[in-house]
Amino acid sequence: MTDGVAERSRPRDRILETAQDMFHKHGIKGVGVDAITEAAGTNKMTLYRHFESKDELVIECLRATAAKGAAVWDEFEAQHPGDKLAQLHAWVRKVADMLASDSRGCDMANAAVELTETDHPARRVIKELKQAQRDRLVALCRDAGIGQAELLADTLSLLFEGARVSVQTIGSEGPSAQFVRMAESLIASFRAR
Amino acid sequence: MTDGVAERSRPRDRILETAQDMFHKHGIKGVGVDAITEAAGTNKMTLYRHFESKDELVIECLRATAAKGAAVWDEFEAQHPGDKLAQLHAWVRKVADMLASDSRGCDMANAAVELTETDHPARRVIKELKQAQRDRLVALCRDAGIGQAELLADTLSLLFEGARVSVQTIGSEGPSAQFVRMAESLIASFRAR
DNA sequence: TCTAAAAGTTACAGACCGGTAACACCCTAG
DNA sequence: CTAGGGTGTTACCGGTCTGTAACTTTTAGA
């Protein structure tokens, strides 16, 4: 039994993996801890021995998801060592893939929508992780030799973020369908300056 | 008592107005029907006499919010009669105002995040309303005499949507701070073609 | 003023939620 | 073999949620 997730890892890891998946698919308030532990092949007590609350679990999930996202950037570096411009284009393609294969958007943005209390502990984490994402994109643009790297990175960030939310509302045939064209022509125009 | 919302209108209108406000601030799953009716100075039974379920209320709220948004477009026409380009610039300024004054994003996008069931009745409505928004922006760009009006409108849509979600996560000092500059230079570059 | 509809009130059903207590089990390190 | 930590099991607490029933009060129109 124990469902399809990580058959024989330790309970904590199974819980974390399952929770990421279920929070992503059904939202944070849309899934209870009982459902998570059952899908992870364990039980509620074990969850609360490893995480002090559901909120803590949510935060750990966000960190884990962000870490996976960061790993993708390392792949870009491995695939195009030293070629920052090629890595930027790889980022564009990767984003397009995400838009085509997933319609539930960004976990951090979704969490910010659901957790509305301004002092919710997850909000600090969300802000930090999002800023780190932005910083990394700015650095990539700068290292690719682009002038006004911040402006390009921020523009690409907004297009990316907007595309993910657009897929959630209109679908992948909406404005997000033009993402690659938008991003590529933006990069080209910034490079031309 | 009855709180600050629409002192002496009819209960249905007070409920609708209050629900829009509370859903916007606290999210759909973050507010119960009891809290809504209490803030609206009425009671649960009256709510269920006017709306057959919370889901129906949510849908009515989305329609009402979208109608308010549509009214803004009519203001643009009133302020710049016939001058579609001026209306497009007015739209950019309006978006900037929204970004500065509200950090809870778009109600439709937020609803799409919270209501994850693919067959949820609200999802049809969200898609329709979002498509209508898009169509209106495309028409404005086209009527402003811009070539590739769809591409410009879609790019502006993604920037807008992205900016709203960015405000929710990073805050108004993040990438969204450059929205006006991005939008204006985009419009200029499309006009130049 | 009389009447009928609308609105308010109270109580409740049934479900689900996050979180905890108490206890039994198993598996591995010594 | 044994001790102990990690895990599983069951039951429970108090709270919240959507939605309904039955009844009373207010309001508005003829």
Side-chain angles (χ1 to χ4, degrees):
Chain A
M1 261 357 73
T2 72
D3 143 304
V5 180
E7 213 38 61
R8 269 311 93 179
S9 45
R10 305 179 64 184
R12 187 181 196 280
D13 298 330
R14 276 179 289 156
I15 290 170
L16 205 51
E17 206 70 29
T18 307
Q20 283 176 69
D21 183 58
M22 295 185 75
F23 286 151
H24 179 73
K25 286 181 185 157
H26 311 298
I28 293 168
K29 298 191 178 172
V31 52
V33 291
D34 266 323
I36 293 170
T37 54
E38 187 188 339
T42 176
N43 55 77
K44 194 155 54 167
M45 271 312 303
T46 299
L47 187 153
Y48 280 103
R49 285 184 189 116
H50 289 289
F51 306 93
E52 69 177 24
S53 68
K54 185 184 180 182
D55 282 344
E56 275 306 312
L57 174 62
V58 168
I59 289 173
E60 289 302 307
C61 284
L62 291 175
R63 290 196 200 280
T65 302
K68 288 179 186 173
V72 171
W73 290 75
D74 297 334
E75 288 179 27
F76 297 157
E77 177 63 42
Q79 285 160 8
H80 309 280
D83 187 348
K84 298 298 181 180
L85 188 61
Q87 291 177 34
L88 186 56
H89 286 112
W91 178 84
V92 172
R93 283 193 304 273
K94 185 72 185 178
V95 168
D97 288 346
M98 290 176 53
L99 294 176
S101 64
D102 180 84
S103 63
R104 269 292 299 166
C106 168
D107 290 339
M108 284 173 268
N110 291 355
V113 169
E114 288 201 80
L115 310 176
T116 62
E117 305 102 313
T118 50
D119 61 344
H120 193 289
R123 297 196 74 86
R124 283 191 66 246
V125 179
I126 293 168
K127 184 169 181 174
E128 288 170 8
L129 295 174
K130 274 290 175 190
Q131 263 165 345
Q133 276 189 358
R134 179 200 190 192
D135 292 344
R136 190 135 189 189
L137 191 57
V138 170
L140 184 55
C141 289
R142 189 180 344 256
D143 294 346
I146 290 169
Q148 300 192 100
E150 289 90 351
L151 188 57
L152 175 58
D154 284 348
T155 309
L156 291 175
S157 286
L158 293 195
L159 285 179
F160 175 30
E161 215 83 68
R164 295 202 79 175
V165 71
S166 177
V167 167
Q168 271 185 97
T169 54
I170 293 192
S172 53
E173 336 77 43
S176 65
Q178 304 299 322
F179 174 82
V180 171
R181 199 205 298 207
M182 297 171 190
E184 290 297 349
S185 81
L186 253 178
I187 294 170
S189 101
F190 271 74
R191 291 229 303 151
R193 296 184 197 175
Chain B
M1 252 11 61
T2 71
D3 144 306
V5 181
E7 212 39 60
R8 269 311 92 180
S9 47
R10 304 180 65 187
R12 187 183 195 280
D13 298 331
R14 276 178 289 153
I15 290 170
L16 204 52
E17 206 70 29
T18 307
Q20 281 176 70
D21 183 58
M22 295 184 74
F23 285 150
H24 179 73
K25 286 180 185 159
H26 312 296
I28 294 169
K29 297 194 178 168
V31 53
V33 293
D34 266 323
I36 293 170
T37 54
E38 186 188 341
T42 177
N43 57 77
K44 195 156 53 168
M45 270 313 303
T46 300
L47 186 151
Y48 280 103
R49 286 187 189 111
H50 289 288
F51 306 93
E52 68 178 25
S53 68
K54 186 184 179 183
D55 282 344
E56 275 305 313
L57 174 62
V58 168
I59 289 173
E60 289 301 308
C61 284
L62 291 175
R63 289 196 200 280
T65 303
K68 288 178 185 174
V72 171
W73 291 74
D74 297 334
E75 288 178 27
F76 296 157
E77 177 63 40
Q79 285 161 9
H80 309 281
D83 188 347
K84 297 299 181 179
L85 189 60
Q87 291 177 34
L88 185 56
H89 286 111
W91 177 84
V92 173
R93 284 193 304 273
K94 186 72 185 179
V95 168
D97 288 348
M98 292 176 52
L99 294 176
S101 63
D102 181 84
S103 62
R104 270 292 299 166
C106 169
D107 289 339
M108 283 173 270
N110 291 355
V113 169
E114 289 202 78
L115 310 176
T116 62
E117 304 103 314
T118 49
D119 61 343
H120 193 289
R123 298 196 73 87
R124 283 192 67 245
V125 179
I126 292 168
K127 184 169 182 174
E128 288 170 8
L129 296 173
K130 274 290 175 191
Q131 263 164 345
Q133 276 189 0
R134 179 200 190 192
D135 292 344
R136 191 137 188 188
L137 191 58
V138 169
L140 184 55
C141 289
R142 187 179 344 255
D143 294 346
I146 291 170
Q148 299 192 101
E150 289 90 351
L151 187 58
L152 174 58
D154 284 347
T155 309
L156 291 174
S157 286
L158 294 194
L159 285 178
F160 175 30
E161 215 82 68
R164 296 202 78 175
V165 71
S166 177
V167 168
Q168 271 186 97
T169 53
I170 294 192
S172 52
E173 336 78 43
S176 64
Q178 304 299 322
F179 175 82
V180 172
R181 200 205 296 206
M182 298 171 190
E184 290 297 349
S185 80
L186 253 178
I187 294 170
S189 100
F190 271 75
R191 291 230 301 150
R193 296 183 197 175

